[in-house]
Amino acid sequence: MKGLYFQQSSTNEEVTFVFQEKENVPVTEDNFVRVQVKACALSHINTKLLAEMKMEKDFFPVGREVSGIVLEVGRKVTFFQPDDEVVGILPLDSEDPGLCEVIRVHEHYLVHKPEKVSWTEAAGVIRDGVRACTALYYLSQLSPGKSVLIMDGASAFGTIAIQLAHHRGAKVISTAHSLEDKQHLERLRPSIARVIDVSNGKVHVAESCLEETGGLGVDIVIDAGVRLYSKDDEPAVKLHLPHKHDIITLLGVGGHWVTTEENLQLDPPDSHCLFLKGATVAFLNDEVWNLSNAQQGKYL
């Protein structure tokens, strides 16, 4: 049985993918299950995080979002039985690649797959679904009637977050980075309160949000990255992003700012403004739920 692995050169410049033979070993750990993989999503391999976590290997497993059928369960497994249909995200320290016929994984990294969801859909949305739930339910305590600004709503993560926010009864505002993105967002049902087209760089996000909320500001902001400096000092890939001051300006009293900007820097005036608003800042880490207990303990 073969599995796909990722290999990075010593200079971190050259990347290769190789197939390696794996032994089809039975479940020996009490809380592990064997799963026959039906679908696997290909997501970005965060080599920077792996280096920070001291988890670098000669060969790193490829593919972590998987769906499949349970073949065998360990002695202490309580959530699953053979023939159950499951979906989950393999932990960073998993020895098995998702791109393999059969994998072994701890039961806590799996959930039951809904019957009407296909194998491909389940594996394709699980990561962004977990991210959206984390941002809305855990980091910002979304409740009915709240106003939510979801940046880059036409992305996979943004589209899921919009649907979850609508399901909870929130008022949703979103940004579009192209005409195609805008048309996609305008076709969503329930409809979005306002789609802000930022593709031409002429529309001010903060002004649009304050206008939509009657000057009160939004209750929750989920960004897709922010600019920390002036446009002249930022790389081209970040020029379409709002400045951190825009986010602080459009945030309402008691608001929650959920950011994906891992290197966010807040100056004393920024912190003071957030203090006056009673606002909070939370960081959305893609891997926060997926690091094994042992690795979390080592890192923290």
Side-chain angles (χ1 to χ4, degrees), residues 219-253:
D219 299 304
I220 299 169
V221 178
I222 302 177
D223 71 34
V226 295
R227 285 188 292 110
L228 304 178
Y229 315 106
S230 65
K231 289 188 175 182
D232 295 335
D233 298 324
E234 291 280 12
V237 294
K238 299 189 71 172
L239 294 183
H240 67 283
L241 298 175
H243 195 277
K244 61 181 179 179
H245 294 155
D246 296 331
I247 302 296
I248 295 173
T249 299
L250 62 85
L251 198 61
V253 173

Side-chain angles (χ1 to χ4, degrees), residues 100-125:
C100 188
E101 293 179 16
V102 178
I103 60 173
R104 290 182 306 155
V105 59
H106 195 288
E107 64 173 329
H108 290 168
Y109 293 106
L110 301 172
V111 295
H112 287 280
K113 181 183 76 68
E115 182 179 350
K116 295 184 179 181
V117 177
S118 71
W119 300 114
T120 304
E121 290 170 342
V125 304

